[in-house]
């Protein structure tokens, strides 16, 4: 929790997409000690073609009526985190930050792409459903 929570204080962090422990999906934009805050207006409207159209749009289509919360214990462990960097230097700084402290427990930053050994598949017996990967 602390490593993920720390991302919300980074200027490059844009938010976290995940859901609760059932089927809902949310976009989390803030956090507190025991819960995450998410946006979920669930009303889609046509795209605006000019900024002048904003005053005429129904309020419920642009924002939720109030903050919505999810307790940390209900967060689905499958998450997608968004970061935005503007330069290679900023990217390297972000990588260094993500590999330290509590965030280092969540992220693994590698100097180069890992090399994976190709595996072959071999079936033991036609009567068994066992597959051994070598």
């Amino acid at each position: 929790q602390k490593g993920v929570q720390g991302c919300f204080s980074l200027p490059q962090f844009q938010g976290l997409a995940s859901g609760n422990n059932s089927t809902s999906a949310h976009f989390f934009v803030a956090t507190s000690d025991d819960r995450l805050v998410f946006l979920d207006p669930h009303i889609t409207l046509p795209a605006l073609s000019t900024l002048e159209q904003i005053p005429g749009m129904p309020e419920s289509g642009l924002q939720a009526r109030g903050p919505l919360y999810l307790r940390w214990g209900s967060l689905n462990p499958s998450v997608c985190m968004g970061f935005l960097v503007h330069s290679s230097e900023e990217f390297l700084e972000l990588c260094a930050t993500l590999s330290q402290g509590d965030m280092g427990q969540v992220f693994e930053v590698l100097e180069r792409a890992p090399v994976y050994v190709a595996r072959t598949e071999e079936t033991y017996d036609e009567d068994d459903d066992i597959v051994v990967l070598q």
Side-chain angles (χ1 to χ4, degrees):
Q1 174 183 333
K2 288 182 181 180
V4 174
Q5 198 167 10
C7 292
F8 285 89
S9 65
L10 299 176
Q12 301 92 345
F13 189 65
Q14 301 298 299
L16 181 150
S18 185
N20 58 28
N21 51 16
S22 61
T23 59
S24 296
H26 308 298
F27 186 70
F28 298 94
V29 295
T31 181
S32 68
D33 289 337
D34 63 342
R35 57 192 180 172
L36 297 114
V37 181
F38 64 93
L39 302 176
D40 190 19
H42 264 100
I43 295 175
T44 56
L45 299 170
L48 301 175
S49 56
T50 67
L51 292 177
E52 288 76 29
Q53 291 176 304
I54 291 176
M57 295 299 291
E59 230 179 76
S60 61
L62 297 176
Q63 62 188 14
R65 296 197 189 281
L68 302 168
Y69 302 98
L70 181 71
R71 297 228 176 257
W72 277 101
S74 298
L75 180 67
N76 186 313
S78 178
V79 300
C80 175
M81 301 174 121
F83 296 90
L84 177 65
V85 295
H86 300 283
S87 67
S88 57
E89 293 82 16
E90 191 176 350
F91 174 74
L92 293 174
E93 289 173 16
L94 175 62
C95 289
T97 301
L98 293 177
S99 63
Q100 299 172 3
D102 291 326
M103 286 182 267
Q105 300 297 313
V106 177
F107 297 96
E108 182 177 16
V109 179
L110 304 174
E111 291 293 323
R112 61 185 81 111
V115 176
Y116 298 103
V117 177
R119 300 188 299 187
T120 60
E121 205 171 278
E122 207 176 277
T123 305
Y124 257 4
D125 188 346
E126 292 180 15
D127 295 332
D128 291 336
D129 291 332
I130 298 174
V131 175
V132 177
L133 299 176
Q134 298 179 339

